[in-house]
Amino acid sequence: MMKLRTRRALALAGAAVALSVALTGCSALDGILGGGSGDADRDEETGQVTESANIDIFSLKLGDCTMDSGTGQLEDIDVVPCDQPHDMEVYHEITMEDGEFSEESVDAASEECIGDAYTTFVGVGYQDSALQVTTITPTQQTWDELNDRVIQCIIFDEAGQTTGSLKGAAR
């Protein structure tokens, strides 16, 4: 199972509140259930997606642009070249240290998504931005069974799809 978590700014407090939504999808079952096809075609030099594809969630990489599945399942995900309309973009990754799985540690590390990493990527602080953040985080199962230690920070615009990267959007 993978978890998708959404972050929003609190207008009065100026702080972020994690809205955790468990979206199930066991990547270990992909082969059995016919989930994502592995990885997308990528440019050899940049690693950017060159053709739309449905990929295994563990093939999602920094800089990938994705479509919202609408199903809540995170076994696989649709990626598209970023110069095409898309719903979300992976803009930062955090690798957790080995050890026992802790939901609290994952939540604490996820806060980095709306800190300096966000400001550096977007060009304005999260509290001043019109853009939103969600994360894909390890679960107890993926941590234990798949050695999953990566938190992916994903940016999106609630107003709708974007074309091109949101890097430097300053909004």
Side-chain angles (χ1 to χ4, degrees), residues 86-89 130-133 155-162 166 171:
H86 56 273
D87 298 313
M88 299 174 281
E89 178 181 356
L131 303 172
Q132 300 300 319
V133 172
I155 193 167
F156 65 99
D157 187 340
E158 284 184 318
Q161 292 186 329
T162 58
L166 290 171
R171 59 181 176 107

Side-chain angles (χ1 to χ4, degrees), residues 74-142:
L74 288 178
E75 308 173 345
D76 55 14
I77 195 161
D78 292 328
V79 293
V80 298
C82 290
D83 62 358
Q84 294 179 10
H86 56 273
D87 298 313
M88 299 174 281
E89 178 181 356
V90 180
Y91 72 94
H92 184 67
E93 291 182 330
I94 303 157
T95 302
M96 301 285 296
E97 292 185 19
D98 285 336
E100 291 296 315
F101 176 80
S102 163
E103 186 93 23
E104 293 78 24
S105 294
V106 170
D107 287 345
S110 296
E111 290 296 316
E112 185 179 321
C113 292
I114 57 171
D116 290 342
Y118 186 93
T119 303
T120 299
F121 184 80
V122 176
V124 297
Y126 182 74
Q127 293 79 3
D128 299 322
S129 178
L131 303 172
Q132 300 300 319
V133 172
T134 190
T135 57
I136 299 176
T137 64
T139 63
Q140 180 79 53
Q141 181 180 2
T142 63

